[in-house]
Amino acid sequence: MTAQAGEAGRRGWRAAAQDALYGPGGFYRGPGAGPAGHFRTSVHASTLFADAVARLLCRVDGALGRPAVLDFVDMAAGRGELVTGVLAALPADVAPRVRAYAVELAGRPAGLDHRIEWRAEPPEGITGLFFANEWLDNVPVDVAEVDPAGVPRLVLVGEDGTERLGEPVAGAEAAWLARWWPTAAEEGLRAEIGLPRDRAWASAVDTLARGLAVAVDYAHTAAARPPFGTLTAFREGRETAPVPDGTCDLTAHVALDACAAARALPGTRLLTQRDALRALGVSGARPPLTLASTDPAGYVRALAGAGEAAELTAPGGLGDFGWLVQPVGIAGAGDLFVDVADDEEH
């Protein structure tokens, strides 16, 4: 019995999720509203997110010396919401030089801006910004669970979501667990083996000739791995039990520190979304009450914007997302993100 096939058609979660999400008739290949119809991301929460990414693209542009062509890659683009918002937010001196890509397996949505190239794979030789919002959590991984003898074993799953334990984790997967997610010898403890995500991220970073690669996702680090894993599912806006039948999104939080080490680059930073967005000018501060008397309509707009910014940066919510930031051939990420402490002081 292996991770790929087991009793009653059960197989490892990685293979099962790969088919359920990306196979023929898979969750991410279907028509309609796309991911927005099933779960809410920062992109859907507010246009302030796309505005912030546009500001980051402009900073990358400056670090690159304002090249004749500036690439922006929206990885796992859904229905193109982020790349559309970024193009709309760019200043007039930058927008004409931007070559925009949306990378997604589903078909190109009708009415998408003609400037956006729709692709199933990212382009090579990127000069600019590669931005992956909630992509890595949907790169399928195998799940391990500790058996009564204290041995981590692969979890096998049927199409109905029922599980049983398979073979002990071995080889490169065992080495990954030992380094990045070691488990105590306590029955029932679980871990998600993030090796496929490390490899996917390393391949993504390798598409950059010069610029910045950013991954934004549900995340954890070695100091605080969840003892029973994070595998879950979403359907029509609600969290539900993970079942690999193609009817729901299957997701698990990302070991972003392991992804960062897959391409150990100088200037790499791990930030919370709260700190990253504040450094890019997104603040949840309420507008001054004096504005209500001098410009009531402006006050209402500013108040709405503050509420949206607060949602994007909220502790316990979107603000706790991780940002993995890796520069390639340019100055470190510290030169692209205003120091958070200085930003707050001013």
Side-chain angles (χ1 to χ4, degrees):
M1 188 160 56
T2 71
Q4 301 303 313
E7 294 180 18
R10 289 183 177 88
R11 50 189 176 159
W13 266 107
R14 181 186 178 192
Q18 183 69 34
D19 284 349
L21 294 176
Y22 306 114
F27 179 82
Y28 278 104
R29 288 188 179 272
H38 296 270
F39 52 88
R40 180 178 172 86
T41 73
S42 297
V43 178
H44 310 127
S46 173
T47 58
L48 294 175
F49 189 81
D51 293 346
V53 176
R55 283 192 288 274
L56 179 58
L57 179 58
C58 290
R59 294 183 186 183
V60 172
D61 182 41
L64 290 168
R66 304 191 182 282
V69 177
L70 177 66
D71 296 319
F72 175 68
V73 179
D74 179 7
M75 184 70 186
R79 294 301 181 264
E81 298 96 334
L82 177 60
V83 64
T84 298
V86 168
L87 287 176
L90 289 173
D93 64 325
V94 176
R97 293 186 287 110
V98 171
R99 183 166 52 190
Y101 300 93
V103 182
E104 183 59 71
L105 292 178
R108 182 187 182 96
L112 191 71
D113 191 315
H114 71 278
R115 294 175 294 173
I116 300 169
E117 182 177 335
W118 195 265
R119 301 173 58 104
E121 298 286 342
E124 297 288 337
I126 297 163
T127 299
L129 176 60
F130 178 100
F131 199 90
N133 184 60
E134 296 196 39
W135 166 49
L136 289 172
D137 69 297
N138 289 127
V139 173
V141 293
D142 274 315
V143 178
E145 182 176 320
V146 179
D147 71 8
V151 177
R153 292 179 175 271
L154 290 165
V155 176
L156 306 181
V157 61
E159 191 171 317
D160 61 356
T162 58
E163 296 179 339
R164 67 187 310 154
L165 298 187
E167 295 179 346
V169 180
E173 289 76 14
W176 189 94
L177 279 182
R179 179 180 180 188
W180 293 109
W181 200 331
T183 55
E186 180 180 334
E187 183 180 2
L189 295 181
R190 288 170 68 116
E192 288 116 20
I193 306 172
L195 185 60
R197 293 170 173 177
D198 296 355
R199 291 170 174 166
W201 181 246
S203 294
V205 173
D206 288 346
T207 64
L208 278 163
R210 293 178 66 222
L212 189 72
V214 180
V216 180
D217 235 310
Y218 299 94
H220 46 68
T221 58
R225 301 285 190 225
F228 300 103
T230 61
L231 178 66
T232 190
F234 290 89
R235 182 190 294 116
E236 297 178 353
R238 296 186 178 184
E239 189 169 8
T240 186
V243 178
D245 61 1
T247 68
C248 58
D249 175 46
L250 298 169
T251 177
H253 294 196
V254 182
L256 274 183
D257 49 351
C259 293
R263 282 292 179 269
L265 298 172
T268 294
R269 293 185 69 181
L270 282 170
L271 306 168
T272 64
Q273 176 156 297
R274 179 168 50 258
D275 288 346
L277 290 185
R278 285 178 179 173
L280 292 169
V282 177
S283 170
R286 293 171 63 92
L289 284 173
T290 54
L291 185 63
S293 57
T294 59
D295 183 4
Y299 177 77
V300 172
R301 289 193 299 271
L303 193 62
E308 293 176 3
E311 180 182 1
L312 290 173
T313 59
L318 294 174
D320 289 345
F321 270 48
W323 281 47
L324 167 57
V325 181
Q326 294 197 285
V328 177
I330 60 173
D335 296 326
L336 299 171
F337 287 81
V338 177
D339 184 80
V340 174
D342 290 346
D343 189 51
E344 291 175 346
E345 289 173 5
H346 293 88

